[in-house]
Amino acid sequence: MESTLTPSQLAILEAARQAPSADNSCPWQWDWTGENELVLNNDKDRSGKATDNTYILTNLAMGAAVENAVLRALDFSLSAEVAYSHEGKDIIVTIQFVPLDGEIEVNEQNKLASQIELRHSDRRFPFKGNVTEQQFSQLAQSIQHTGCQLLSFNEKSTIKAVEPTIRKAEAVRFKDETLHAELFDTVKFGESNPEEGMTLPVLGIEPPARPMFRMLKSWPIMKALNYIGASKLIAIRSVTLPILNSPALAMITSPSDESDDVFNTGRQIQRVWLKATELGLSVHLYAAPGVLSLANPPLRADLSSKLAEVKAELDEITQDRGHAIMFFRLGERSGEAPRSNRRALNSLKKIQAT
């Protein structure tokens, strides 16, 4: 299949494949419908689950993939026109690539494109160093979509003020059987280099904690341990300790919770992440507060109430500056964090109905 693609088509697809998605699920498929027209559609087998109930995760993932594709196209002197549609269970993004006249100068977009293969999550902690106001300004300036904003928290007092909201949302993921199953289905316990999914080193689980984490895959065990506060302890380990032991936190907001705005916010999240990589920063994303509060998964009453509290707290934090979508934990990059793989490009090809 790959031999039938032109060098530019293959490079653009590879860039899209490198984009982040929830648990690296790549919930989309591709199809070149013309020499210069690429269509991405959501993979119905991988989208619309409980944490993606309103397709928020799929829209974010497709936005990131499209942004990578658009940026990589510049290497081939191609600009891009993007058309988005979402109706029911179908999300379709059409990218029309148009040749640019003459040679293009190296600019901010080319610099971001150069970071596509280098960008990755870093779940280690603590992050060291300092994130300067100038760096926050550069991250904010990388955003192009009207209405999306970057809110910064680089004082210990402001970080401590928002951390409990993130922790509360994270704990919910371990209190519901469906959300718990979605999380652990992506963890590859017995594989060191799987094609997809997350290994324990990638998740930042220290060797002494790995036997216990394996036990938590069992919902009956997880449910039983929750009676003595296991979910809260997990949230402290995964949220409180990393965040309070890192120099900065940021949040990206969307102008609305409409699908097209969420998709475009996914593009901006990717741009900010690429810029952070260029600036020598490590990035760890926290999606639970924004995503779960907007996904509105079917949960029992007490957990739905807890997410309603999270949503109210996020609204208080954003202060009419849009809908909270994603938190970034930031710090100076030191060494290389373990990285996860992506599915082969062939597996993302849309299979045409016969």
Side-chain angles (χ1 to χ4, degrees):
M1 177 275 301
E2 293 182 7
S3 62
T4 65
L5 299 174
T6 66
S8 62
Q9 289 175 328
L10 181 58
I12 288 168
L13 288 175
E14 284 291 351
R17 190 174 73 101
Q18 292 298 322
S21 57
D23 304 312
N24 291 326
S25 61
C26 291
W28 49 267
Q29 301 170 320
W30 62 268
D31 185 30
W32 284 98
T33 56
E35 181 179 355
N36 289 318
E37 184 176 270
L38 173 63
V39 175
L40 300 184
N41 64 275
N42 62 305
D43 184 340
K44 292 185 177 63
D45 291 332
R46 292 173 177 259
S47 61
K49 297 179 181 179
T51 51
D52 191 31
N53 191 44
T54 56
Y55 293 91
I56 181 171
L57 288 173
T58 298
N59 276 306
L60 292 173
M62 293 181 70
V66 166
E67 189 61 28
N68 271 9
V70 170
L71 290 170
R72 178 61 77 228
L74 291 171
D75 291 342
F76 299 91
S77 297
L78 296 171
S79 65
E81 298 175 1
V82 178
Y84 170 91
S85 68
H86 183 182
E87 184 174 350
K89 297 181 179 181
D90 294 309
I91 303 173
I92 301 173
V93 183
T94 302
I95 312 174
Q96 187 72 45
F97 296 100
V98 180
L100 292 167
D101 293 331
E103 296 183 0
I104 60 173
E105 297 180 359
V106 175
N107 56 25
E108 177 68 12
Q109 315 310 316
N110 300 96
K111 291 179 182 179
L112 293 182
S114 70
Q115 304 301 310
I116 288 173
E117 285 74 24
L118 300 176
R119 179 220 59 83
H120 63 283
S121 295
D122 187 350
R123 294 176 175 83
R124 300 173 297 172
F125 77 93
F127 285 171
K128 302 290 188 178
N130 182 40
V131 182
T132 67
E133 290 296 337
Q134 181 180 9
Q135 288 174 319
F136 271 121
S137 178
Q138 290 176 285
L139 294 176
Q141 289 171 10
S142 68
I143 294 176
Q144 290 188 333
H145 183 56
T146 302
C148 287
Q149 296 188 48
L150 181 82
L151 310 185
S152 61
F153 311 91
N154 57 352
E155 299 290 339
K156 288 298 183 182
S157 59
T158 58
I159 293 173
K160 286 183 178 180
V162 301
E163 179 274 329
T165 299
I166 305 174
R167 172 167 28 100
K168 188 182 298 183
E170 186 70 19
V172 170
R173 302 175 70 195
F174 294 89
K175 293 181 178 180
D176 176 78
E177 183 175 5
T178 300
L179 301 188
H180 170 272
E182 281 191 26
L183 171 64
F184 279 92
D185 282 349
T186 66
V187 181
K188 306 299 182 182
F189 288 98
E191 301 178 56
S192 60
N193 192 35
E195 184 181 67
E196 62 175 308
M198 316 288 280
T199 64
L200 297 183
V202 166
L203 288 170
I205 309 297
E206 299 87 350
R210 291 173 187 175
M212 175 58 72
F213 193 73
R214 288 173 182 269
M215 290 177 57
L216 298 181
K217 182 178 181 179
S218 165
W219 173 245
I221 292 176
M222 183 78 251
K223 183 179 180 181
L225 290 176
N226 278 338
Y227 287 109
I228 57 173
S231 62
K232 294 181 180 179
L233 291 175
I234 293 171
I236 290 173
R237 164 56 186 84
S238 61
V239 176
T240 305
L241 294 178
I243 287 178
L244 296 187
N245 286 282
S246 295
L249 195 65
M251 175 205 286
I252 292 183
T253 67
S254 171
S256 81
D257 59 358
E258 296 295 324
S259 292
D260 57 341
D261 273 334
V262 173
F263 164 77
N264 280 306
T265 303
R267 297 184 64 178
Q268 308 319 304
I269 289 172
Q270 180 66 351
R271 291 180 64 83
V272 170
W273 201 343
L274 293 172
K275 187 63 180 179
T277 304
E278 180 194 331
L279 294 174
L281 300 175
S282 279
V283 175
H284 178 191
L285 266 60
Y286 287 93
V291 166
L292 290 181
S293 61
L294 293 180
N296 194 27
L299 304 173
R300 64 177 193 258
D302 62 316
L303 295 182
S304 293
S305 176
K306 190 67 67 175
L307 287 185
E309 291 177 18
V310 169
K311 180 65 169 64
E313 291 172 11
L314 290 174
D315 290 342
E316 182 67 23
I317 294 168
T318 57
Q319 292 289 322
D320 298 322
R321 289 172 289 184
H323 291 260
I325 299 295
M326 194 73 65
F327 282 95
F328 285 66
R329 179 169 67 96
L330 300 167
E332 289 183 6
R333 186 165 62 244
S334 176
E336 288 298 321
R339 301 183 63 170
S340 54
N341 296 320
R342 297 289 187 278
R343 287 192 290 149
L345 196 57
N346 287 352
S347 70
L348 298 171
K349 174 74 169 70
K350 182 178 180 180
I351 300 175
Q352 302 295 337
T354 58

